[in-house]
Amino acid sequence: MKVKITYATPSKRKLQRARLIQYLAGPFLLAALICGVVNLTVGGKAWSLIVMWALYMVWTMIVSPDVIEYNRISQFTKLLWESCVLLILIDVLLVSGWVLNVVSIVCFGGIIAVCALFLTDYERQRHNLLPVILLSVGALVASVLGIIIIRPVRWQVSVTAALSFAMLVVCLYGMRHDIKSELRKMFHVR
Amino acid sequence: MHNGTRESTFYFRLNAGIIGVALSDAARFGRNPSRKGVGETMDFKPKPRNSGLAPRKPKNIRLKLVKSPPQAADAPPGLSQEGALPAPRRAKNSPAKEPALAAFGKQERAKPEQAAKEHLEKAGRGKAKAGKKVEKMHKKAPKRGKTPPPSPLVDVPFASEQEKEACAAFLADIRCRIALREKEKAAMIHDFEKAIAYLIKSGVPASEALRRLDAQNLGGFYSRPSGAWYALDNAAKIYPLSMKHGTMAVFRLSAYLKEPVVPEILQMALTFTIKRFTSFATTVKKGFFWHYLDVTKRRYDVEPDSGVPCSPIYIGRSGSQSFRVLYFENRISVEFFHILTDGTGGMVFLKTLVAEYFRLLGVESSGDGILPINALPAAEETENAFLRVKSDGRASGFMGKAAVQLGGRLAAVRPCRILHFKMDADTLKAAAKAHGATVTAYLLALMFVAGRHATDRIDGEMCVQVPVNMRKFYPSRTLRNFSMYCGIRLPVRDITDPGALVGEIARQLEKKASREAMDEMVRAANQITRVLSFIPLFLKAPVARTVFGYLGDGIFTTTFSNLGVVTLPPELTGRVESMDFVLGTAITNRVSCSMVTVGRAATLTIAKNTPDPSFEEALYALLERDGVAPHVEGSELYEG
């Protein structure tokens, strides 16, 4: 069977992401497994969960990032969520008592950064509002709960609440032309 | 106009009319604006500029006045008779007529700064003030590699002054109709300039070239911000959930022309065509519960076909497109992420694109599934047609036993080879008839036997997935996905000779590809969709990816998708040699087969995921034995 070649020879490509994932999946899983086994064997605090979450963060942020919506806002908000979970895990599993202050500061710092990312490239980033809305709503709900439940009220929590509310307003302003349609497309269930 | 200073010599008057030539533009076009011989250059912006020294974004179009050469007698203007691209008409623009052209040619590649400096020196008026401006220009001069490309209209042989003016007015109109980002707008204007230049150089009168490229073909698509979006159809929902790095459901449709593709014209054809296919002009986005397609207004570009066919399309960035249009020699290919459409919808797009391409080259055509690009898209074209199937009734059809997989190690590059078996459709039909079967059943029988040659397993079942176009049961004009599939299953031990299999295959096809069976499957798909609807995407995506990763395409041995006979209008039949259809969707299956027939050219394509050549060699031998004798074309093996 003779084959007439009718396709161009592809140029040699750099290391493919898929291959990198293939190479690193084993070591990552092994590291997580070893941590779990050592932690269970030695006993004590469940530090292995923190290591596993940190490995997951590295995996999802660096080794195998999102295939869809890989833009600066979505990646940054994802990093914020995952960092907050990591901080909460450290507080719950290792040393407690500080997480509310730290997570609040991380949140409002993150919201300021997201706002900067959003406003410096408004035309393009206004199509990536959902992660910002979710972050703002999440931070607002958490901080309002913090204000209601925890006494005395800490300044970090109040600032987070104010900033997340402001960010939400900015997002709604960004969608002002057709807010109903924008929300429908973000939350459609069809 | 004149601004009254010596520096304003950069704006000067020629016979052509009022001309403003900025030094930065001199840099862009690589010519010295002070040389009258260089040409009857003209600025189509009548307003004077305050400073011609600082480099700025190109706005002027300088056109050269020469007599238009005669057109080819037989071929439509713009379309070469012998397949070769028309050579630029340098002979007509002989140095004797325009002595400065030679010098212009030499200067063409000069750096912007150099051109500016030379101009000032030769003009003899670049003293103190001009020197300062040159210094200023040096500071602001774009870096090497960032210089705007020279206008293709520089050496276009316009026949008259009126043509130049018409062209200028045309480009001004185009500018008004494009409200994209500056970079994309400039690129699109450049596309127009290239297309005009190509057409005029190939003998098309300027008025005709402008008529073909009429700005009305842009509609309002590029002048309005996007606001539309589309929910995914029920078949498409799984694709973004299951995709991961290196694995993406991409298929490819190609048309082989009888002469080399002109990229400039193809680009314009795409620019005009895409607005009609609004659900294709989209970016995949994440919603809270489901992904969706967000309409993206941008310049959709054509690319040279230089990569691995059906390789994943990068859809992550803001405004990324989910399809690509490629060209290579005489082939126009479109690769689609399956989320957009199925083979039928993709074929409508390809046919419309090809028809528009030929319209720009002077061959008008319509009908036979070609959509009029300037007509309003019908709502039906973007409907989720799966919802047409009534929900009451039995729902089943997705589960199945694991099928025998062909031998050979899975290649790292997928597909690792593409093979096209080009056959005479009549001979193929006769061979199928000799076995008392349809072409699909006959080829399925051959595939089972070829598959048997490509595995060492002697037990288990082989199963070939056969996509079924639901449009034949529910007539719909949708361009979205509207197909289901059935599995033709045979025990390995029974697979011996194609003649012995065709009866059973035909029976299974009739039963499993029936309307009832397909309805059951659609109902099952609709039910799954409904159940998953209210689960947030961040929860269901990892689960779906894991489940799909385990199941994959393991319940099938291979796939055979037959798009059937594609009809083209008579104006195009003589210009399109053949078409092919490549499936790049397999994960563990070693081969995927697909077929499309245009006129007498039937093309069976095998997309391979393994370097093992057993399957295609056996298939070739079987076809040859039946007197079909395919002509085999394809790619090289992408890895050893």
Side-chain angles (χ1 to χ4, degrees), chain A:
Chain A
M1 186 178 79
K2 282 184 183 171
V3 181
K4 183 186 170 195
I5 302 298
T6 53
Y7 286 81
T9 306
S11 53
K12 195 152 188 170
R13 288 181 297 174
K14 293 173 200 167
L15 183 66
Q16 284 179 309
R17 174 79 66 176
R19 209 171 283 185
L20 181 76
I21 290 168
Q22 205 181 333
Y23 293 148
L24 292 180
F28 267 69
L29 278 175
L30 191 68
L33 194 71
I34 288 171
C35 283
V37 169
V38 170
N39 196 189
L40 280 175
T41 314
V42 176
K45 291 180 176 176
W47 54 267
S48 60
L49 287 178
I50 295 164
V51 178
M52 283 179 198
W53 184 256
L55 283 171
Y56 173 77
M57 276 179 72
V58 173
W59 184 263
T60 55
M61 295 302 306
I62 298 168
V63 182
S64 178
D66 292 338
V67 186
I68 297 168
E69 279 207 24
Y70 183 70
N71 54 63
R72 57 190 193 172
I73 285 191
S74 71
Q75 292 312 291
F76 190 78
T77 50
K78 188 173 152 187
L79 179 66
L80 272 179
W81 281 113
E82 293 186 351
S83 304
C84 289
V85 173
L86 183 70
L87 291 169
I88 292 166
L89 280 176
I90 294 171
D91 184 89
V92 172
L93 300 173
L94 297 181
V95 190
S96 46
W98 49 270
V99 75
L100 192 68
N101 294 340
V102 174
V103 168
S104 301
I105 291 169
V106 167
C107 273
F108 78 66
I111 287 170
I112 292 168
V114 167
C115 195
L117 291 175
F118 179 58
L119 295 176
T120 49
D121 186 16
Y122 177 76
E123 262 313 300
R124 209 186 301 191
Q125 299 306 327
R126 73 189 173 87
H127 298 288
N128 305 322
L129 279 180
L130 182 61
V132 189
I133 291 175
L134 293 179
L135 178 72
S136 307
V137 169
L140 185 62
V141 169
S143 49
V144 166
L145 284 176
I147 289 168
I148 294 167
I149 297 166
I150 299 163
R151 295 286 163 184
V153 176
R154 299 172 194 189
W155 67 268
Q156 301 93 328
V157 182
S158 312
V159 171
T160 307
L163 278 175
S164 51
F165 181 74
M167 190 69 218
L168 207 54
V169 171
V170 170
C171 289
L172 295 176
Y173 180 77
M175 302 191 296
R176 68 192 179 281
H177 297 300
D178 200 357
I179 198 160
K180 205 172 153 188
S181 167
E182 287 289 323
L183 289 175
R184 200 186 300 141
K185 85 176 171 189
M186 286 172 187
F187 297 96
H188 76 279
V189 289
R190 280 181 287 161

Side-chain angles (χ1 to χ4, degrees), chain B residues 108-156:
Chain B
E108 211 163 25
R109 283 179 291 277
K111 287 180 186 173
E113 303 94 309
Q114 201 180 337
K117 210 170 181 179
E118 276 177 22
H119 168 75
L120 285 169
E121 283 168 7
K122 286 178 185 174
R125 52 180 91 95
K127 298 292 178 188
K129 205 170 180 182
K132 278 179 191 172
K133 292 215 171 184
V134 168
E135 272 177 33
K136 197 176 164 188
M137 198 204 75
H138 270 260
K139 281 178 191 170
K140 287 189 181 176
K143 286 178 187 172
R144 191 189 170 89
K146 290 196 172 183
T147 314
S151 168
L153 294 175
V154 162
D155 54 353
V156 169

